[in-house]
């Protein structure tokens, strides 16, 4: 199936590794021109080189702190200066720290707000004026917006706000032929999941292998997903092949979430 991404300009946030890298790889493999960002310039440079080597696509990278509006704007402006417009945007950022909600400080609440909710608002607000031929916006949230996860309350609260943002903007941007959707990763094998598994293992006094085995046992497909499987789902929703899908939430979780 041709997704219609050849020559399209796609921006992917937090793409030096993990979920973002998987999406950037899938888009580049489909022939899109891909602009990635991440906070660490060395990691961005390494990811760009790897993507170019693996896919042969046009890929550029920018060091960007998504908690800062000026940094996001510089990424958007640099991409538009290079390629003229924007066809697709993946909104993505690292997750807030774990812990009990009432133990979180005022500063931690504010940092989570800036990292997760306001970064989404700012990326979309900066990109939309350059989506002159319509386009697609896809946000990466969390299964916690459907089923709250123990000790990830900050993620639940802030990412639920992103889900509300998506549903509202799907209506507001439809007249511009800009689609807005949400993608929920389940247990995908990333550094972020590994960090959470280590924290769980330490708290429960068991091995990381036992934590991962317990997680896999709860998933109908009996394994964690890969970043490439996640990337394929994202590439579809960001592509013209999904041109009649907006305001939707897709779960990439191996059937793990039990809610209907």
């Amino acid at each position: 199936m041709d997704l219609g991404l050849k020559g399209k300009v796609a921006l992917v946030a937090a793409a030096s590794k993990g979920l973002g890298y998987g999406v950037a790889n899938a888009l580049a493999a489909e022939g899109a021109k891909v602009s990635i960002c991440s906070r660490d310039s060395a990691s961005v440079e390494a990811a760009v080189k790897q993507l170019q080597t693996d896919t042969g696509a046009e890929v550029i990278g920018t060091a960007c702190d998504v908690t800062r509006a000026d940094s996001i704007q510089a990424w958007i402006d640099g991409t538009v200066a290079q390629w003229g417009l924007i066809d697709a945007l993946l909104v993505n950022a690292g997750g807030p720290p774990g812990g009990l909600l009432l133990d979180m400080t005022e500063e931690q609440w504010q940092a989570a707000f800036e990292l997760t909710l306001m970064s989404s608002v700012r990326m979309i607000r900066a990109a939309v004026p350059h989506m002159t031929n319509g386009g697609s916006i896809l946000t990466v949230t969390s299964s916690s917006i459907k089923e709250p996860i123990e000790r990830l309350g900050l993620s639940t609260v802030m990412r639920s706000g992103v889900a509300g943002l998506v549903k509202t903007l799907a209506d507001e941007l439809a007249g511009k032929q800009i689609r807005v959707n949400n993608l929920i990763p389940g247990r995908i094998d990333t550094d972020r999941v590994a960090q959470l598994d280590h924290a769980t293992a330490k708290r429960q006094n068991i091995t990381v292998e036992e934590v991962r085995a317990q997680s896999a046992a709860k998933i109908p497909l009996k394994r964690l997903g890969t970043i490439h499987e996640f990337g394929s789902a994202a590439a579809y929703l960001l592509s013209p092949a999904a041109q009649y899908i907006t305001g939707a939430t897709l779960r990439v979780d191996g059937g793990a979430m039990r809610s209907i």
Side-chain angles (χ1 to χ4, degrees):
M1 180 180 182
D2 182 1
L3 297 182
L5 283 166
K6 188 174 179 60
K8 299 293 186 182
V9 176
L11 284 79
V12 183
S16 64
K17 59 183 179 180
L19 299 176
Y21 183 87
V23 176
N25 183 273
L27 292 168
E30 288 290 329
K33 300 175 182 178
V34 181
S35 173
I36 69 169
C37 80
S38 186
R39 184 172 298 186
D40 181 71
S41 57
S43 297
V44 171
E45 184 178 347
V48 167
K49 289 180 179 177
Q50 191 63 55
L51 288 166
Q52 290 172 334
T53 298
D54 290 346
T55 68
E58 294 183 61
V59 183
I60 58 175
T62 303
C64 174
D65 180 353
V66 297
T67 66
R68 291 173 42 201
D70 61 338
S71 191
I72 290 172
Q73 192 66 55
W75 175 43
I76 300 293
D77 290 346
T79 302
V80 173
Q82 179 82 11
W83 288 321
L85 50 68
I86 295 171
D87 296 299
L89 169 68
L90 182 87
V91 176
N92 185 33
L100 299 176
L101 270 185
L102 296 184
D103 290 341
M104 296 297 170
T105 66
E106 186 80 11
E107 291 74 21
Q108 286 174 313
W109 275 96
Q110 186 63 41
F113 173 69
E114 296 291 339
L115 174 65
T116 305
L117 181 54
M118 284 309 299
S119 70
S120 302
V121 173
R122 289 164 178 156
M123 278 187 254
I124 293 169
R125 189 161 55 191
V128 162
H130 304 289
M131 291 183 152
T132 52
N133 292 331
S136 178
I137 298 168
L138 184 61
T139 65
V140 178
T141 56
S142 167
S143 62
S144 66
I145 71 170
K146 296 292 186 180
E147 299 174 353
I149 301 170
E150 182 182 4
R151 302 182 68 85
L152 287 181
L154 282 180
S155 177
T156 300
V157 173
M158 300 304 167
R159 295 190 193 280
S160 294
V162 175
L165 175 71
V166 166
K167 198 64 178 173
T168 303
L169 287 177
D171 288 344
E172 293 185 1
L173 296 177
K176 299 178 183 291
Q177 297 302 302
I178 298 173
R179 299 178 296 104
V180 191
N181 293 295
N182 185 40
L183 195 58
I184 296 180
R187 298 287 292 182
I188 309 295
D189 193 5
T190 64
D191 289 347
R192 164 74 168 169
V193 168
Q195 290 171 357
L196 295 173
D197 286 347
H198 275 85
T200 300
K202 184 177 180 180
R203 190 171 63 252
Q204 297 182 0
N205 195 29
I206 59 177
T207 67
V208 173
E209 290 71 23
E210 287 174 308
V211 172
R212 292 173 75 86
Q214 290 173 3
S215 296
K218 297 175 184 177
I219 300 170
L221 291 182
K222 302 304 180 188
R223 63 176 178 84
L224 274 64
T226 71
I227 61 170
H228 299 294
E229 290 169 327
F230 184 82
S232 294
Y236 170 69
L237 286 176
L238 286 168
S239 78
Q243 61 186 343
Y244 201 57
I245 301 175
T246 193
T249 295
L250 176 65
R251 307 170 184 184
V252 184
D253 70 343
M257 276 171 273
R258 313 312 298 165
S259 57
I260 297 173

